[in-house]
Amino acid sequence: LIELGIVEGALSGLEGLPFEEFRERLVREWEISCKQQMLAKTGIVRCMAEVLEGGSPDNPLNFLADLTSTDLSAWCADKVAPEIQRVLGREQHSIRQRRQQRAQRSGG
C-alpha cells in the first residue's frame, strides 16, 4: 500500500468486506492519494497557507477559530476560491499544453 501512496490507516475497518467492495475502496483510496500527491506539486497547499491570515508557528490555523460560519463562507468565497482557481487554472494550462504536445508527437 505504501508503494501506491496510500497512507497507513486509510483502509482500516475494511476487514470482512466482500472482495469487490474492498477493491472499490482500495482503488478509491489510491485515486485520492494520487490526487493529493499531484495537488501538492501544484503549490495549492502553499497558496492556502498564504491566504490564511494571522496565526503563529504554535497555532498557525488560529484565524479559523474566531470565524462564524457566515464569516467562514464569505472568506472561502472571497479569498480562498479565487486563489485556488488561480493555482488550478495554471495547472489546467500546463496539463492542456502537455496533452497537446503528446498529440503532436503521436501525429494526432
Side-chain angles (χ1 to χ4, degrees):
L1 295 178
I2 292 172
E3 290 179 19
L4 296 177
I6 298 174
V7 296
E8 186 177 338
L11 298 175
S12 63
L14 302 183
E15 303 84 14
L17 286 179
F19 177 75
E20 277 306 310
E21 190 174 339
F22 175 81
R23 183 182 169 284
E24 288 173 15
R25 298 274 297 271
L26 174 65
V27 170
R28 178 70 179 139
E29 285 301 322
W30 185 13
E31 176 187 337
I32 289 169
S33 294
C34 290
K35 287 177 181 178
Q36 286 176 313
Q37 292 170 19
M38 291 307 295
L39 284 170
K41 292 178 183 181
T42 67
I44 206 160
V45 173
R46 180 175 180 89
C47 169
M48 285 298 304
E50 290 173 349
V51 171
L52 279 168
E53 301 170 9
S56 68
D58 294 333
N59 195 353
L61 303 179
N62 194 47
F63 167 75
L64 298 173
D66 298 327
L67 295 177
T68 65
S69 60
T70 302
D71 292 339
L72 180 61
S73 293
W75 177 72
C76 287
D78 298 341
K79 302 276 182 148
V80 176
E83 290 302 311
I84 290 176
Q85 184 175 3
R86 180 182 58 80
V87 171
L88 293 179
R90 191 174 58 222
E91 185 63 21
Q92 178 187 45
H93 178 73
S94 295
I95 291 168
R96 287 177 175 170
Q97 281 186 318
R98 288 191 303 269
R99 184 187 294 166
Q100 187 177 27
Q101 290 168 352
R102 279 194 306 269
Q104 289 172 348
R105 282 195 301 266
S106 67

XYZ file of all heavy atoms in Angstrom:
846
model
N 0.823 -1.208 0.000
C 0.000 0.000 0.000
C 0.852 1.251 0.000
O 0.497 2.239 -0.628
C -0.938 -0.011 1.205
C -1.998 -1.105 1.220
C -2.820 -1.033 2.494
C -2.876 -1.032 0.017
N 1.962 1.219 0.706
C 2.845 2.373 0.748
C 3.374 2.672 -0.650
O 3.487 3.829 -1.040
C 3.985 2.155 1.756
C 3.407 2.133 3.172
C 5.048 3.233 1.631
C 4.383 1.750 4.252
N 3.668 1.629 -1.424
C 4.138 1.820 -2.795
C 3.096 2.517 -3.659
O 3.425 3.219 -4.602
C 4.530 0.481 -3.424
C 5.786 -0.111 -2.834
C 6.130 -1.443 -3.457
O 5.639 -1.751 -4.568
O 6.897 -2.187 -2.833
N 1.826 2.341 -3.343
C 0.751 3.002 -4.082
C 0.513 4.421 -3.582
O -0.278 5.159 -4.152
C -0.551 2.205 -3.957
C -0.559 0.804 -4.558
C -1.890 0.121 -4.275
C -0.285 0.845 -6.045
N 1.174 4.787 -2.483
C 0.996 6.120 -1.929
C -0.176 6.218 -0.975
O -0.589 7.303 -0.597
N -0.718 5.085 -0.573
C -1.862 5.079 0.335
C -1.334 5.151 1.763
O -0.511 4.340 2.169
C -2.727 3.831 0.128
C -3.296 3.829 -1.295
C -3.836 3.756 1.154
C -4.039 2.585 -1.669
N -1.799 6.132 2.500
C -1.300 6.342 3.851
C -1.765 5.236 4.784
O -2.836 4.654 4.597
C -1.734 7.716 4.421
C -1.136 8.842 3.610
C -3.232 7.838 4.474
N -0.941 4.990 5.775
C -1.258 3.963 6.763
C -2.577 4.308 7.451
O -2.829 5.442 7.811
C -0.133 3.897 7.791
C -0.283 2.788 8.785
C 0.875 2.704 9.743
O 1.963 3.204 9.415
O 0.682 2.139 10.815
N -3.417 3.337 7.600
C -4.689 3.537 8.273
C -5.831 3.919 7.354
O -6.984 3.934 7.772
N -5.544 4.231 6.103
C -6.596 4.662 5.179
C -7.606 3.549 4.920
O -8.756 3.824 4.603
C -5.990 5.131 3.855
N -7.176 2.322 5.055
C -8.067 1.206 4.773
C -8.494 0.470 6.036
O -9.025 -0.631 5.960
C -7.384 0.226 3.805
C -7.032 0.816 2.438
C -6.254 -0.191 1.613
C -8.279 1.259 1.709
N -8.286 1.098 7.186
C -8.678 0.428 8.427
C -10.194 0.278 8.478
O -10.940 1.096 7.952
C -8.181 1.212 9.639
O -8.781 2.480 9.675
N -10.625 -0.775 9.095
C -12.055 -1.028 9.218
C -12.662 -1.740 8.032
O -13.882 -1.842 7.922
N -11.824 -2.205 7.121
C -12.353 -2.872 5.929
C -12.326 -4.392 6.042
O -12.714 -5.086 5.104
C -11.562 -2.444 4.688
C -11.530 -0.955 4.375
C -10.769 -0.697 3.088
C -12.943 -0.409 4.260
N -11.885 -4.882 7.196
C -11.826 -6.322 7.383
C -13.219 -6.925 7.224
O -14.201 -6.374 7.690
C -11.291 -6.668 8.781
C -9.943 -6.083 9.095
C -10.000 -4.651 9.610
O -11.080 -4.171 9.980
O -8.954 -4.005 9.600
N -13.276 -8.041 6.555
C -14.541 -8.747 6.428
C -15.439 -8.256 5.305
O -16.535 -8.777 5.117
N -15.009 -7.231 4.568
C -15.823 -6.762 3.441
C -15.744 -7.753 2.294
O -14.716 -8.394 2.092
C -15.318 -5.407 2.940
C -15.600 -4.182 3.785
C -15.002 -2.952 3.131
C -17.089 -3.984 3.993
N -16.777 -7.856 1.506
C -16.684 -8.657 0.282
C -15.575 -8.097 -0.605
O -15.294 -6.896 -0.585
C -18.054 -8.475 -0.380
C -18.961 -7.992 0.706
C -18.098 -7.263 1.685
N -14.931 -8.984 -1.362
C -13.775 -8.582 -2.148
C -14.046 -7.375 -3.032
O -13.249 -6.462 -3.100
C -13.259 -9.746 -3.007
C -12.109 -9.335 -3.877
C -10.854 -9.152 -3.337
C -12.294 -9.094 -5.230
C -9.789 -8.740 -4.126
C -11.246 -8.686 -6.028
C -9.976 -8.509 -5.476
N -15.172 -7.349 -3.740
C -15.460 -6.242 -4.665
C -15.561 -4.914 -3.927
O -15.072 -3.888 -4.414
C -16.729 -6.511 -5.475
C -16.498 -7.373 -6.693
C -15.403 -6.833 -7.611
O -15.425 -5.641 -7.976
O -14.508 -7.624 -7.967
N -16.185 -4.907 -2.779
C -16.301 -3.673 -2.004
C -14.927 -3.236 -1.497
O -14.588 -2.059 -1.539
C -17.271 -3.860 -0.837
C -17.616 -2.553 -0.155
C -18.695 -2.721 0.902
O -19.451 -3.715 0.854
O -18.768 -1.840 1.772
N -14.136 -4.211 -1.026
C -12.772 -3.901 -0.600
C -11.969 -3.322 -1.756
O -11.278 -2.317 -1.606
C -12.080 -5.156 -0.061
C -10.640 -4.927 0.270
C -10.277 -4.343 1.476
C -9.646 -5.277 -0.629
C -8.942 -4.116 1.779
C -8.308 -5.046 -0.339
C -7.959 -4.462 0.865
N -12.090 -3.944 -2.930
C -11.365 -3.480 -4.116
C -11.772 -2.054 -4.486
O -10.920 -1.216 -4.783
C -11.632 -4.426 -5.292
C -10.881 -4.075 -6.538
C -11.244 -5.043 -7.682
N -10.724 -4.568 -8.924
C -11.241 -3.562 -9.650
N -12.312 -2.940 -9.242
N -10.679 -3.196 -10.787
N -13.069 -1.763 -4.448
C -13.553 -0.413 -4.758
C -12.965 0.613 -3.794
O -12.542 1.691 -4.211
C -15.082 -0.363 -4.700
C -15.767 -1.057 -5.850
C -17.278 -1.131 -5.664
O -17.821 -0.418 -4.797
O -17.906 -1.921 -6.393
N -12.946 0.285 -2.511
C -12.397 1.202 -1.517
C -10.898 1.385 -1.708
O -10.382 2.485 -1.573
C -12.690 0.700 -0.106
C -14.164 0.606 0.233
C -14.784 1.897 0.747
N -14.263 2.388 1.978
C -14.692 2.073 3.191
N -15.693 1.236 3.329
N -14.130 2.608 4.243
N -10.193 0.299 -2.033
C -8.757 0.370 -2.281
C -8.458 1.274 -3.477
O -7.611 2.164 -3.408
C -8.180 -1.026 -2.520
C -6.708 -1.069 -2.922
C -5.833 -0.558 -1.791
C -6.318 -2.484 -3.333
N -9.181 1.065 -4.561
C -8.981 1.882 -5.767
C -9.308 3.341 -5.475
O -8.587 4.250 -5.903
C -9.813 1.332 -6.953
C -9.820 2.292 -8.120
C -9.280 -0.038 -7.372
N -10.351 3.600 -4.703
C -10.723 4.976 -4.352
C -9.636 5.633 -3.514
O -9.266 6.785 -3.757
C -12.066 4.979 -3.595
C -12.509 6.347 -3.148
C -12.920 7.213 -4.327
N -13.350 8.509 -3.833
C -13.058 9.656 -4.394
N -12.384 9.682 -5.520
N -13.476 10.786 -3.897
N -9.089 4.916 -2.540
C -8.012 5.473 -1.721
C -6.761 5.721 -2.552
O -6.072 6.715 -2.364
C -7.684 4.557 -0.540
C -8.701 4.619 0.559
C -8.873 6.009 1.143
O -7.889 6.751 1.296
O -10.029 6.369 1.449
N -6.489 4.843 -3.498
C -5.343 5.012 -4.388
C -5.531 6.273 -5.230
O -4.636 7.087 -5.391
C -5.208 3.771 -5.246
C -4.012 3.724 -6.151
C -2.912 4.538 -6.126
C -3.785 2.808 -7.212
N -2.032 4.188 -7.105
C -2.547 3.117 -7.785
C -4.519 1.756 -7.722
C -2.016 2.406 -8.853
C -3.987 1.050 -8.786
C -2.753 1.367 -9.347
N -6.725 6.435 -5.763
C -7.057 7.617 -6.565
C -6.882 8.897 -5.733
O -6.279 9.871 -6.189
C -8.491 7.508 -7.062
C -8.996 8.706 -7.814
C -10.484 8.609 -8.128
O -11.042 7.490 -8.173
O -11.091 9.671 -8.320
N -7.390 8.899 -4.516
C -7.284 10.072 -3.641
C -5.820 10.363 -3.331
O -5.385 11.523 -3.371
C -8.110 9.870 -2.354
C -9.593 9.924 -2.683
C -7.743 10.909 -1.294
C -10.496 9.488 -1.547
N -5.048 9.323 -3.050
C -3.629 9.515 -2.753
C -2.888 10.115 -3.944
O -2.051 11.014 -3.773
C -2.974 8.183 -2.361
O -3.513 7.717 -1.155
N -3.201 9.632 -5.136
C -2.569 10.189 -6.347
C -2.931 11.660 -6.532
O -2.083 12.491 -6.863
C -2.974 9.384 -7.575
S -2.267 7.732 -7.632
N -4.188 11.988 -6.296
C -4.625 13.380 -6.417
C -3.934 14.255 -5.375
O -3.523 15.377 -5.684
C -6.145 13.478 -6.270
C -6.898 12.947 -7.470
C -8.392 12.992 -7.240
C -9.151 12.429 -8.424
N -10.610 12.423 -8.186
N -3.807 13.746 -4.145
C -3.132 14.513 -3.103
C -1.690 14.804 -3.505
O -1.211 15.927 -3.328
C -3.136 13.750 -1.771
C -4.467 13.743 -1.082
C -4.440 12.902 0.184
O -3.949 11.778 0.185
N -4.967 13.459 1.252
N -1.012 13.796 -4.037
C 0.371 13.986 -4.452
C 0.487 15.011 -5.576
O 1.371 15.872 -5.562
C 0.976 12.653 -4.876
C 1.154 11.693 -3.721
C 1.524 10.302 -4.183
O 1.991 10.086 -5.299
N 1.305 9.324 -3.312
N -0.411 14.948 -6.537
C -0.364 15.895 -7.656
C -0.737 17.304 -7.202
O -0.143 18.285 -7.642
C -1.278 15.426 -8.793
C -0.780 14.171 -9.484
S 0.938 14.271 -10.069
C 0.793 15.541 -11.307
N -1.734 17.415 -6.329
C -2.112 18.739 -5.822
C -0.982 19.368 -5.026
O -0.771 20.581 -5.089
C -3.387 18.649 -4.984
C -4.671 18.486 -5.777
C -5.832 18.154 -4.846
C -4.983 19.740 -6.579
N -0.238 18.564 -4.287
C 0.896 19.097 -3.531
C 1.921 19.716 -4.478
O 2.515 20.754 -4.168
C 1.535 17.998 -2.694
N 2.090 19.114 -5.641
C 3.044 19.632 -6.620
C 2.580 20.943 -7.251
O 3.383 21.693 -7.783
C 3.293 18.598 -7.715
C 4.038 17.385 -7.219
C 4.214 16.367 -8.329
C 4.893 15.128 -7.812
N 5.098 14.128 -8.869
N 1.293 21.233 -7.214
C 0.782 22.462 -7.828
C 1.045 23.695 -6.981
O 0.938 24.811 -7.472
C -0.743 22.398 -8.054
O -1.409 22.391 -6.789
C -1.144 21.205 -8.888
N 1.364 23.492 -5.704
C 1.561 24.624 -4.808
C 0.285 25.054 -4.114
O 0.230 26.119 -3.495
N -0.736 24.241 -4.184
C -2.022 24.629 -3.613
C -1.966 24.724 -2.090
O -2.638 25.561 -1.494
C -3.140 23.695 -4.104
C -4.473 24.435 -4.066
C -3.201 22.404 -3.334
C -5.527 23.832 -4.946
N -1.155 23.890 -1.461
C -1.037 23.961 -0.006
C -0.372 25.272 0.390
O -0.816 25.951 1.323
C -0.266 22.740 0.552
C 0.003 22.896 2.034
C -1.036 21.466 0.277
N 0.658 25.673 -0.322
C 1.304 26.960 -0.041
C 0.334 28.105 -0.279
O 0.261 29.057 0.494
C 2.557 27.142 -0.884
C 3.222 28.468 -0.586
C 4.544 28.659 -1.300
N 5.086 29.952 -0.945
C 5.869 30.178 0.098
N 6.204 29.183 0.896
N 6.334 31.383 0.355
N -0.427 28.000 -1.344
C -1.432 29.011 -1.654
C -2.386 29.178 -0.483
O -2.680 30.294 -0.050
C -2.180 28.606 -2.922
S -3.640 29.562 -3.290
N -2.878 28.080 0.048
C -3.791 28.134 1.187
C -3.107 28.736 2.407
O -3.700 29.539 3.130
C -4.309 26.735 1.524
C -5.343 26.219 0.568
S -6.828 27.231 0.540
C -7.310 27.213 2.248
N -1.858 28.355 2.632
C -1.130 28.883 3.784
C -0.956 30.397 3.671
O -1.030 31.117 4.672
C 0.236 28.203 3.898
N -0.749 30.880 2.457
C -0.588 32.325 2.258
C -1.903 33.070 2.444
O -1.912 34.210 2.893
C -0.010 32.594 0.870
C 1.439 32.165 0.740
C 1.976 32.279 -0.673
O 1.186 32.492 -1.616
O 3.201 32.129 -0.841
N -3.002 32.449 2.130
C -4.317 33.083 2.251
C -4.765 33.168 3.715
O -5.460 34.097 4.099
C -5.365 32.324 1.395
C -6.761 32.822 1.666
C -5.054 32.472 -0.084
N -4.352 32.186 4.515
C -4.726 32.195 5.933
C -4.098 33.394 6.635
O -2.894 33.612 6.551
C -4.257 30.913 6.623
C -5.145 29.712 6.416
C -4.445 28.454 6.880
C -6.451 29.888 7.153
N -4.923 34.143 7.298
C -4.448 35.345 7.990
C -4.030 35.005 9.410
O -4.546 34.069 10.011
C -5.565 36.391 8.008
C -6.030 36.778 6.619
C -7.297 37.620 6.621
O -7.732 38.050 7.705
O -7.838 37.821 5.537
N -3.129 35.796 9.942
C -2.749 35.666 11.342
C -2.172 34.317 11.679
O -1.525 33.675 10.873
N -2.408 33.904 12.901
C -1.858 32.653 13.374
C -0.429 32.843 13.859
O 0.092 33.962 13.887
N 0.189 31.777 14.264
C 1.565 31.794 14.744
C 2.156 30.417 14.497
O 1.415 29.475 14.193
C 1.583 32.107 16.238
O 1.013 31.028 16.958
N 3.470 30.276 14.640
C 4.050 28.940 14.476
C 3.448 27.914 15.441
O 3.327 26.741 15.118
C 5.534 29.155 14.751
C 5.765 30.579 14.350
C 4.504 31.302 14.768
N 3.037 28.370 16.623
C 2.428 27.460 17.596
C 0.979 27.125 17.267
O 0.486 26.061 17.627
C 2.469 28.066 19.004
C 3.883 28.195 19.520
O 4.752 27.409 19.091
O 4.126 29.092 20.346
N 0.285 28.059 16.636
C -1.128 27.864 16.311
C -1.415 28.502 14.953
O -2.070 29.532 14.865
C -2.005 28.470 17.407
C -3.433 27.985 17.325
O -3.805 27.294 16.388
N -4.239 28.373 18.297
N -0.916 27.876 13.881
C -0.989 28.501 12.552
C -2.388 28.675 11.989
O -2.606 29.534 11.146
C -0.153 27.570 11.675
C -0.093 26.290 12.401
C -0.232 26.598 13.854
N -3.344 27.905 12.452
C -4.701 27.988 11.918
C -5.645 28.735 12.855
O -6.867 28.656 12.717
C -5.250 26.583 11.626
C -4.420 25.735 10.664
C -5.052 24.370 10.474
C -4.200 26.427 9.346
N -5.099 29.480 13.781
C -5.895 30.177 14.786
C -6.932 31.108 14.166
O -8.003 31.307 14.723
C -4.978 30.961 15.722
C -5.693 31.428 16.960
O -6.393 30.651 17.595
N -5.524 32.695 17.291
N -6.625 31.660 13.012
C -7.552 32.551 12.301
C -8.937 31.918 12.171
O -9.959 32.586 12.306
C -6.961 32.864 10.917
C -7.917 33.496 9.953
C -8.273 34.833 10.086
C -8.454 32.774 8.907
C -9.155 35.429 9.183
C -9.334 33.359 8.004
C -9.686 34.695 8.145
N -8.975 30.623 11.928
C -10.247 29.941 11.699
C -11.122 29.877 12.948
O -12.347 29.864 12.847
C -9.987 28.526 11.187
C -9.248 28.437 9.851
C -8.897 26.995 9.537
C -10.059 29.053 8.732
N -10.500 29.855 14.110
C -11.244 29.672 15.355
C -12.221 30.811 15.624
O -13.271 30.593 16.228
C -10.276 29.533 16.528
N -11.893 32.002 15.188
C -12.711 33.166 15.504
C -13.774 33.480 14.459
O -14.536 34.431 14.620
C -11.808 34.386 15.705
C -10.849 34.193 16.870
O -11.242 33.525 17.845
O -9.723 34.697 16.803
N -13.831 32.717 13.403
C -14.807 32.974 12.341
C -16.153 32.332 12.662
O -16.212 31.200 13.127
C -14.314 32.410 11.009
C -13.068 33.024 10.392
C -12.713 32.282 9.110
C -13.265 34.492 10.106
N -17.216 33.050 12.382
C -18.543 32.441 12.426
C -18.688 31.620 11.148
O -17.900 31.758 10.213
C -19.651 33.500 12.478
O -19.625 34.240 11.240
C -19.467 34.452 13.664
N -19.710 30.791 11.071
C -19.912 30.008 9.851
C -20.190 30.926 8.660
O -19.758 30.652 7.540
C -21.023 28.981 10.023
O -22.232 29.603 10.333
N -20.860 32.048 8.905
C -21.120 33.027 7.839
C -19.809 33.673 7.387
O -19.567 33.813 6.180
C -22.099 34.113 8.325
O -23.316 33.479 8.733
C -22.396 35.121 7.234
N -18.971 34.047 8.357
C -17.671 34.629 8.024
C -16.803 33.635 7.257
O -16.112 34.005 6.307
C -16.925 35.070 9.284
C -17.576 36.244 9.976
O -18.352 36.974 9.327
O -17.300 36.435 11.185
N -16.839 32.379 7.684
C -16.054 31.346 7.015
C -16.508 31.181 5.570
O -15.684 31.111 4.657
C -16.160 30.019 7.765
C -15.383 28.848 7.176
C -13.886 29.140 7.138
C -15.664 27.588 7.973
N -17.804 31.160 5.359
C -18.330 31.037 3.991
C -17.901 32.213 3.130
O -17.474 32.041 1.984
C -19.858 30.947 4.007
O -20.274 29.755 4.596
N -17.996 33.412 3.687
C -17.608 34.609 2.941
C -16.111 34.595 2.649
O -15.680 34.935 1.541
C -17.988 35.865 3.725
N -15.307 34.225 3.639
C -13.860 34.175 3.460
C -13.485 33.174 2.373
O -12.661 33.462 1.514
C -13.187 33.829 4.793
C -11.706 33.685 4.706
C -10.794 34.678 4.543
C -10.974 32.466 4.775
N -9.533 34.151 4.506
C -9.620 32.792 4.649
C -11.342 31.142 4.941
C -8.613 31.833 4.684
C -10.340 30.177 4.971
C -9.001 30.531 4.840
N -14.133 32.000 2.406
C -13.861 30.994 1.378
C -14.217 31.514 -0.015
O -13.454 31.333 -0.965
C -14.631 29.705 1.675
S -13.962 28.757 3.045
N -15.365 32.150 -0.120
C -15.817 32.656 -1.423
C -14.955 33.819 -1.908
O -14.592 33.878 -3.085
C -17.277 33.081 -1.330
N -14.615 34.724 -1.006
C -13.920 35.946 -1.405
C -12.402 35.807 -1.509
O -11.778 36.460 -2.336
C -14.229 37.084 -0.425
C -15.703 37.441 -0.391
O -16.428 37.095 -1.347
O -16.138 38.065 0.602
N -11.815 34.991 -0.656
C -10.350 34.902 -0.598
C -9.814 33.567 -1.085
O -8.864 33.527 -1.852
C -9.864 35.126 0.848
C -10.274 36.421 1.459
C -9.336 37.518 1.065
C -9.785 38.801 1.758
N -8.761 39.685 2.100
N -10.400 32.485 -0.601
C -9.860 31.161 -0.891
C -10.146 30.742 -2.329
O -9.237 30.350 -3.069
C -10.404 30.108 0.100
C -9.926 28.716 -0.261
C -10.000 30.470 1.524
N -11.395 30.809 -2.734
C -11.783 30.324 -4.066
C -11.000 30.985 -5.199
O -10.508 30.280 -6.090
C -13.287 30.485 -4.268
N -10.831 32.313 -5.195
C -10.070 32.912 -6.293
C -8.611 32.448 -6.342
O -8.057 32.247 -7.428
C -10.139 34.410 -6.006
C -11.332 34.593 -5.140
C -11.437 33.337 -4.341
N -8.006 32.227 -5.182
C -6.613 31.776 -5.158
C -6.495 30.327 -5.611
O -5.583 29.978 -6.361
C -6.004 31.963 -3.764
C -5.786 33.404 -3.409
C -4.885 34.134 -4.407
O -3.795 33.604 -4.744
O -5.276 35.219 -4.866
N -7.421 29.500 -5.182
C -7.406 28.107 -5.636
C -7.667 28.055 -7.137
O -7.024 27.306 -7.867
C -8.434 27.264 -4.851
C -7.951 27.088 -3.417
C -8.663 25.915 -5.524
C -8.910 26.358 -2.529
N -8.575 28.885 -7.608
C -8.858 28.927 -9.038
C -7.620 29.368 -9.822
O -7.336 28.829 -10.890
C -10.019 29.870 -9.319
C -10.435 29.879 -10.771
C -11.674 30.729 -11.013
O -12.198 31.356 -10.094
N -12.145 30.723 -12.230
N -6.866 30.302 -9.276
C -5.634 30.757 -9.937
C -4.636 29.616 -10.055
O -4.085 29.345 -11.131
C -5.025 31.929 -9.159
C -3.749 32.484 -9.768
C -3.166 33.606 -8.911
N -2.864 33.195 -7.553
C -1.763 32.525 -7.189
N -0.881 32.170 -8.102
N -1.559 32.209 -5.933
N -4.414 28.894 -8.953
C -3.458 27.787 -8.950
C -3.932 26.668 -9.874
O -3.160 26.145 -10.682
C -3.233 27.264 -7.515
C -2.422 25.981 -7.519
C -2.560 28.319 -6.659
N -5.211 26.302 -9.765
C -5.732 25.230 -10.615
C -5.785 25.650 -12.081
O -5.597 24.824 -12.975
C -7.106 24.785 -10.124
C -7.122 24.092 -8.761
C -8.552 23.730 -8.372
C -6.233 22.868 -8.743
N -6.025 26.920 -12.344
C -6.011 27.410 -13.720
C -4.639 27.281 -14.344
O -4.501 26.907 -15.515
N -3.611 27.578 -13.554
C -2.230 27.425 -14.025
C -1.946 25.952 -14.325
O -1.351 25.618 -15.347
C -1.284 27.973 -12.959
C 0.147 28.118 -13.408
C 1.004 28.797 -12.352
N 0.952 28.038 -11.106
C 0.854 28.591 -9.898
N 0.791 29.898 -9.757
N 0.844 27.843 -8.818
N -2.406 25.070 -13.435
C -2.203 23.634 -13.648
C -3.000 23.145 -14.856
O -2.510 22.342 -15.642
C -2.598 22.853 -12.390
C -2.320 21.384 -12.481
C -0.854 21.035 -12.626
O 0.025 21.863 -12.275
O -0.568 19.933 -13.113
N -4.208 23.648 -15.019
C -5.029 23.285 -16.174
C -4.307 23.650 -17.470
O -4.258 22.854 -18.411
C -6.366 24.013 -16.096
C -7.287 23.751 -17.262
C -8.520 24.636 -17.205
O -8.421 25.832 -16.939
N -9.677 24.047 -17.434
N -3.729 24.822 -17.508
C -2.997 25.272 -18.694
C -1.818 24.325 -18.983
O -1.603 23.924 -20.128
C -2.508 26.705 -18.484
C -1.719 27.237 -19.627
N -2.295 27.589 -20.826
C -0.391 27.470 -19.757
C -1.350 28.016 -21.649
N -0.189 27.950 -21.019
N -1.086 23.936 -17.934
C 0.051 23.026 -18.107
C -0.398 21.668 -18.623
O 0.237 21.085 -19.506
C 0.790 22.841 -16.776
O 1.368 24.038 -16.363
N -1.480 21.162 -18.074
C -1.999 19.854 -18.498
C -2.403 19.902 -19.960
O -2.105 19.000 -20.742
C -3.185 19.421 -17.616
C -2.706 19.107 -16.201
C -3.916 18.220 -18.223
C -3.834 18.963 -15.191
N -3.090 20.976 -20.344
C -3.514 21.101 -21.743
C -2.318 21.211 -22.680
O -2.330 20.640 -23.778
C -4.433 22.311 -21.902
C -5.809 22.058 -21.314
C -6.690 23.269 -21.415
N -8.043 22.950 -20.949
C -8.973 23.852 -20.750
N -8.742 25.133 -20.980
N -10.168 23.486 -20.318
N -1.281 21.916 -22.259
C -0.079 22.016 -23.086
C 0.587 20.654 -23.255
O 0.986 20.295 -24.367
C 0.921 22.992 -22.474
C 0.601 24.434 -22.729
C 1.707 25.346 -22.231
O 2.258 25.149 -21.148
N 2.032 26.340 -23.036
N 0.705 19.896 -22.152
C 1.310 18.561 -22.236
C 0.481 17.645 -23.131
O 1.025 16.883 -23.927
C 1.473 17.961 -20.846
C 2.573 18.621 -20.030
C 2.893 17.854 -18.761
N 1.777 17.647 -17.875
C 1.433 18.475 -16.884
N 2.111 19.577 -16.670
N 0.400 18.184 -16.105
N -0.824 17.737 -23.004
C -1.713 16.922 -23.840
C -1.513 17.274 -25.317
O -1.441 16.400 -26.167
C -3.168 17.151 -23.429
C -4.145 16.276 -24.195
C -5.575 16.626 -23.903
N -5.938 16.338 -22.522
C -7.041 16.804 -21.939
N -7.867 17.578 -22.607
N -7.318 16.481 -20.707
N -1.439 18.539 -25.614
C -1.248 18.992 -26.995
C 0.104 18.546 -27.534
O 0.204 18.101 -28.677
C -1.371 20.514 -27.055
C -1.350 21.074 -28.455
C -1.551 22.583 -28.444
O -1.216 23.259 -27.475
N -2.099 23.102 -29.526
N 1.136 18.622 -26.711
C 2.463 18.177 -27.150
C 2.486 16.685 -27.431
O 3.083 16.246 -28.412
C 3.511 18.532 -26.095
C 3.778 20.010 -25.997
C 4.586 20.401 -24.770
O 4.841 19.571 -23.886
N 4.991 21.650 -24.714
N 1.815 15.902 -26.589
C 1.750 14.444 -26.830
C 1.008 14.151 -28.128
O 1.409 13.285 -28.895
C 1.050 13.748 -25.650
C 1.940 13.506 -24.466
C 1.320 12.533 -23.476
N 0.005 12.902 -23.025
C -0.280 13.640 -21.947
N 0.692 14.106 -21.211
N -1.513 13.910 -21.619
N -0.074 14.881 -28.371
C -0.848 14.668 -29.592
C -0.020 15.017 -30.824
O -0.075 14.312 -31.837
C -2.131 15.508 -29.558
N 0.773 16.068 -30.736
C 1.619 16.448 -31.870
C 2.700 15.420 -32.124
O 3.014 15.108 -33.270
C 2.242 17.824 -31.617
C 1.256 18.965 -31.695
C 1.836 20.294 -31.263
O 2.934 20.354 -30.692
N 1.098 21.359 -31.512
N 3.272 14.871 -31.048
C 4.317 13.851 -31.209
C 3.763 12.562 -31.792
O 4.438 11.881 -32.530
C 4.989 13.560 -29.868
C 5.995 14.615 -29.463
C 6.874 14.112 -28.333
N 6.147 13.727 -27.146
C 5.908 14.516 -26.106
N 6.358 15.752 -26.100
N 5.238 14.064 -25.060
N 2.532 12.237 -31.430
C 1.948 10.992 -31.927
C 1.271 11.177 -33.289
O 0.709 10.239 -33.832
C 0.936 10.427 -30.912
O -0.184 11.288 -30.811
N 1.289 12.401 -33.782
C 0.728 12.652 -35.104
C -0.776 12.849 -35.103
O -1.421 12.795 -36.140
N -1.349 13.091 -33.933
C -2.802 13.227 -33.881
C -3.179 14.540 -33.477
O -3.789 15.400 -33.530
